[in-house]
Amino acid sequence: MPKDSNGLTLDGQGKPLWLSLEITYRCPLKCSWCNNPLDFDDYAARELSTDEWKRVLREARELGALQLGFTGGEPLQRPDLEELVAYANALGFYTNLITSGIGLTEARLVALKAAGLKQIQLSLQATEAAVTDALVGATAHERKLDAARRIKAHGFPMVLNMPVFRQNIGMTDAMIAWAAELGIEYIEFANIQYYNWALMNRDELMPTLEQVREAEQVVQRWRDTLGKKMTIYFVIPDYYEGRPKACMNGWGAIHLTIAPDGVAMPCQEARVIPGLEFESVRDKPLAWLWHESPLFRKYRGLDWLPEPCVSCDEKEKDFGGCRCQAFLLTGDAGNTDPACGRSPHHARVREATDTAARPLRFRKPLFKRAAGTVTTAFLED
Amino acid sequence: MSIDTPTLASRFRMQWEEAQQAWVLLYPEGMVKLNASAAEILKRCDGTRDVPALVADLETAFDTTGLEPDVRAFLDMARQQQWITEA
C-alpha cells in the first residue's frame, strides 16, 4: 500500500504506478491473519511461468508502472525470483521484496543483490521466539532474526513490518527497542486488516481501542527519542478510526495487483467480491485489463459513489473507503465502507470493536492458514 | 551542515520516465516527479564534483550565471529529505 512519506507523491494520471506481483500463494508459514484467499492451495498448479511473469513486467512498464513489490505467499518459494528481479530491474522498476525471511539464505541474498533488488520488507511478529513460532505455526523466529541481520549486513534498505493484533500489540515497545539496536531505519506497524483468514479470526485478533492507544503512545515516545534515525509508521486500524482508509488510493487509480494465476486486480483482496469478472493476463493484454476491463472500471473514480459519500466533503480524500470491506460487512461492495461513522452500516463495525472490548467472552482458538483448515468448495470460482 | 561533494543516496533510483515525460526519483515506499531544474542538479550529484564545480557545470551547460544560491537551497532540501549524502 503506497504511503505518503513526505508529502510528495505522483498523481497517477491514470497509470498503475504501483505493481504488486503475488508470484505464489505457497508459504511455509500458517499465519492466522493471512490475507491470501481461503482456497490458496488451489492456485499452486495455476501459477504463471517465468516467461509469463516477464511479459507482465514488460506490459506493466509500458503502462507506466514504477514501484514493484514481489509478494505472495512467500515469494522466495519461487526459484526464479532472482531472475524476475533482474529482469524487472533492467526494465526500470524499483524492486521491493516482501518476505517472511524464511528461505532467505546467504546465497539468495547475494543473488538478489546482484539482480538489483532495491529494498526488502521483512515481517516479524514478536520479540520472543515462543510467541512468534506459535503465531506463525512454524519454527521461524530465529530464522527471521538471522534474515534481518543479514539483510542489514548486505546494505539493503529494509522495512521491518510487524503485523499488529491483540496477541502482540503489547510488544510494540520491545520491537522498536530491538530494531533500534539493529540499526533498522524504518519500521511499520501494520494494524492488520480483516479479510480472508484474518476475518475468520477477527474476534480473537482484534485489539481493544485501549491497547491501540497505548501502542500509539509508545510509538510517539520512541519517535521523540530516535528522531530521524528511524521512521516509525503506525496507523490506527480503520475499525477504530471513524473514517475509512483511502483504500489503494482509489479503485483502479494507481495500484495493480497480479495474482499467482495472472488475474489482474485493483487490490489483493478484490476476489472476495462476488459477481465481478476476474480476467487473467493469460487471456487479455494488461493494458486492456487496466484501462478497459469492467472490473477496473466498476469503482474507478467518484461517479459510482453512493450516499452518504456523494454529498460528503471527504469523498476525494477516501473515495468511499474499501470495496472489499463494504462487501464483507454489508453484503454490497457498492456501499460506503462501514468503517465510516457516517455509513448507515457502521453498527457492524461497532459490534466487532465492542466484542473485542468485552471483558468476559468465549475465547475461540485461532484458525491457522493451512490447506484443509476450512471447506472452500462452496466458494465461487 | 551542508554537503561538500553530493551523491545520490544508495537507496534512490533516478531515471527518465517516458510515460511521465519527466525525471523521477524512486525510493522505498515512494516516488517523486522532479521538475527540470531539480533533475539537472540531481543528475550532477554523482560524487565526482563538489558544489562549486556542480554550479560551474550547470552555468556552463545553460549559459548563465548566479545559480549558486538556488543550487545550495535545493541541495539543502535534498539533504534533509536524505536524497543525497556526502560522497
Side-chain angles (χ1 to χ4, degrees), chain A residues 50-237:
Chain A
T50 308
D51 284 343
E52 285 174 317
W53 281 122
K54 286 183 179 175
R55 179 165 64 79
V56 169
L57 288 166
R58 283 195 306 275
E59 291 185 28
R61 268 301 281 151
E62 282 166 19
L63 288 173
L66 280 168
Q67 285 279 354
L68 170 62
F70 286 97
T71 184
E74 172 50 65
L76 288 162
Q77 294 279 310
R78 291 273 306 213
D80 56 356
L81 176 63
E82 291 84 342
E83 188 180 343
L84 294 174
V85 168
Y87 193 79
N89 188 58
L91 286 173
F93 281 105
Y94 192 93
T95 50
N96 306 271
L97 172 65
I98 296 146
T99 178
S100 67
I102 306 303
L104 193 55
T105 60
E106 185 66 18
R108 295 203 77 175
L109 258 181
V110 170
L112 287 165
K113 187 87 184 178
L117 183 67
K118 291 288 181 297
Q119 189 202 213
I120 300 179
Q121 182 182 124
L122 176 75
S123 63
L124 183 62
Q125 289 73 23
T127 49
E128 292 167 27
V131 180
T132 305
D133 293 353
L135 285 168
V136 305
T139 309
H141 188 79
E142 289 305 330
R143 287 190 279 172
K144 283 168 169 283
L145 298 197
D146 202 40
R149 288 185 206 106
R150 282 186 293 103
I151 290 167
K152 285 300 293 178
H154 280 277
F156 280 103
M158 172 178 164
V159 172
L160 184 70
N161 179 290
M162 176 169 157
V164 176
F165 36 82
R166 179 196 296 267
Q167 288 78 356
N168 68 359
I169 194 166
M171 291 183 168
T172 308
D173 187 56
M175 185 64 79
I176 303 175
W178 177 80
E181 199 180 314
L182 197 64
I184 289 170
E185 292 151 0
Y186 196 124
I187 182 164
E188 174 174 346
F189 291 99
N191 277 287
I192 58 164
Q193 301 181 36
Y194 296 97
Y195 309 98
N196 293 325
W197 296 90
L199 183 59
M200 279 188 35
N201 290 302
R202 188 182 67 186
D203 286 352
E204 295 309 312
L205 291 171
M206 186 175 291
T208 64
L209 180 58
E210 196 183 1
Q211 288 175 310
V212 172
R213 292 289 176 220
E214 200 178 307
E216 204 180 19
Q217 284 169 16
V218 166
V219 165
Q220 198 48 56
R221 277 202 300 277
W222 276 105
R223 280 181 183 146
D224 296 343
T225 310
L226 295 171
K228 281 208 158 184
K229 272 185 251 166
M230 194 193 286
T231 302
I232 310 177
Y233 191 81
F234 182 94
V235 174
I236 297 281

Side-chain angles (χ1 to χ4, degrees), chain A residues 10 61 67 89 92 94, chain B residues 11 13 15 17 27 30 33:
Chain A
L10 285 177
R61 268 301 281 151
Q67 285 279 354
N89 188 58
Y94 192 93
Chain B
R11 65 165 89 186
R13 175 175 184 148
Q15 64 194 23
E17 192 57 19
Y27 52 93
K33 187 173 179 172

Side-chain angles (χ1 to χ4, degrees), chain B residues 1 5 9 16 19 23 30-31 35 46-47 56-59 61 63 67 75 79-80 82 84-85:
Chain B
M1 182 182 79
T5 307
W16 172 256
W23 286 85
M31 46 194 140
N35 64 28
D46 61 0
D57 194 35
L58 279 169
E59 290 179 346
D63 196 18
L67 293 181
L75 290 176
R79 181 185 56 79
Q80 282 170 27
Q82 302 179 321
I84 54 170
T85 58

